[in-house]
């Protein structure tokens, strides 16, 4: 296995479309790194440049400390698993898995051994004689992964491999790929637009937008310490709530939006004092808003517009004269649309962003 390094990598397509902008990324040996971001953010293009399927316009890509910009895909010692599986329809599962090794002129016995090994890891031994059309989506996915495993590559590249599967199978395959990562001790770079997939699978997550990296961090840090407004809103479901207001100082330091008023916790005071009288964005996650009777002056009133029971919890969609927001509360109380609630905002868990730069003021 091996690490991958991207240095100032830029990709410009025709008509000056800059799909990837000056990207720097270090993927360590055996690390599972997920590139995540909305459609068109450049994550597939980045992966394809690592694979050698797309030329690098500027910058350098190293695999296992070797500069690979001019190395053809077949000599990069990587294996890629695509969204559409890309299986050969006229070949059996065995032949599909063996094909890459056959091309590379591996001895027959070695091919047999490797295919058998991979099939056993993936639990598809019984499918060896079937053609792809006789396989379910999940089975095709396993064969596509198997075809990558038999090559024993330095790096595995996955491009949205689960997006053609139904929700249940997606969750199951997600766990399987995570287990596979542990079993093979593999270096994996995985592209998805699904933040839940990213959060549950990656050791390290790269959040991208408009061809740029917005944050590289562990799943927990992305959630608890988003570096900017985009990451704060992108990671988490339902999304973080945002309020546009000002920092005011009278007897204490407050964030004010219309008639909503929140006391700023001591630990944020030094940094927010600099924003006195200025507009900032306050963010708070739905689970950090509680429906409890007055705890302190961080209770604010809002009208309940929609109630969404989720079984173990309830999503409350609320509105004030200035804003809409969501609270995620315990399912132990009955709610009525139109009701006015007094909600406690756990400001210790709040986030603040500079209104001009959208960068976090507190992280
Ligand atoms: P998705 O999740 O939709 O696949 P993505 O984040 O993977 O999106 P890319 O496929 O990397 O995004 O595309 C990044 C940008 O580059 C987009 O604006 C896309 O239209 C453009 N692009 C991608 N491939 C080409 C190409 N071959 N020629 C021209 N433009 C391209």
């Amino acid at each position: 296995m091996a690490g991958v390094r991207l240095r100032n990598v830029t990709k410009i397509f025709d008509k000056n479309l800059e799909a990837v902008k000056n990207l720097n990324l270090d993927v360590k040996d055996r690390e599972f790194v997920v590139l995540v971001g909305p459609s068109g953010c450049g994550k597939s293009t980045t992966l394809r440049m690592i694979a050698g399927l797309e030329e690098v316009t500027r910058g350098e890509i190293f695999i296992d400390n070797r500069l690979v910009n001019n190395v053809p895909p077949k000599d990069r010692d990587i294996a890629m698993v695509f969204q559409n599986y890309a299986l050969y329809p006229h070949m059996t599962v065995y032949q599909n898995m063996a094909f890459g090794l056959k091309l590379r002129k591996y001895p027959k016995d070695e091919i047999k051994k490797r295919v058998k090994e991979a099939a056993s890891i993936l639990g598809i031994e019984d499918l060896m004689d079937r053609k792809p059309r006789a396989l379910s989506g999940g089975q095709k996915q396993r064969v596509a992964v198997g075809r990558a495993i038999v090559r024993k590559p330095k790096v595995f590249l996955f491009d949205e491999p689960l997006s053609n599967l139904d929700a249940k199978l997606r969750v199951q395959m997600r766990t399987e790929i995570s287990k596979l990562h542990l079993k093979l001790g593999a270096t994996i770079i995985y592209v998805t637009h699904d933040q839940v997939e990213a959060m549950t699978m990656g050791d390290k997550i790269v959040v991208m937008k408009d061809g740029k990296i917005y944050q590289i961090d562990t799943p927990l840090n992305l959630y608890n310490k988003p570096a900017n407004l985009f990451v704060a809103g992108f990671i988490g479901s339902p999304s973080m709530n945002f309020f546009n207001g000002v920092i005011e100082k009278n007897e204490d330091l407050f964030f004010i939006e219309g008639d909503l008023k929140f006391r700023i916790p001591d630990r944020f005071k030094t940094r927010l004092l600099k924003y006195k009288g200025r507009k900032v964005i306050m963010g708070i996650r739905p689970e950090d808003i509680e429906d409890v009777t007055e705890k302190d002056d961080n209770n604010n009133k809002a009208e309940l517009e929609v109630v969404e029971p989720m079984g173990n919890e309830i999503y409350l969609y609320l509105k004030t004269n200035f804003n809409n927001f969501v609270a995620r509360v315990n399912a132990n109380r009955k709610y009525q649309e139109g009701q006015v609630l007094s909600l406690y905002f756990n400001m210790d868990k709040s986030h603040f962003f500079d209104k001009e730069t959208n960068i976090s003021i507190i992280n």
Side-chain angles (χ1 to χ4, degrees), residues 13-14 17 19 37-46 54 160 191 193:
F13 285 113
D14 315 336
L17 189 134
S39 185
C41 71
K43 49 196 189 300
S44 292
T45 303
T46 304
E54 210 68 78
E160 303 245 8
V191 161
H193 64 271

Side-chain angles (χ1 to χ4, degrees), residues 11-15 17-20 35-48 54 83 159-160 191-194 208-211:
K11 174 70 188 180
I12 303 175
F13 285 113
D14 315 336
K15 302 193 190 109
L17 189 134
E18 214 173 336
V20 175
L35 309 184
V36 68
S39 185
C41 71
K43 49 196 189 300
S44 292
T45 303
T46 304
L47 200 72
R48 292 170 59 80
E54 210 68 78
Q83 176 176 353
D159 194 0
E160 303 245 8
V191 161
T192 178
H193 64 271
D194 181 344
M208 292 179 68
K209 186 185 164 217
D210 300 335

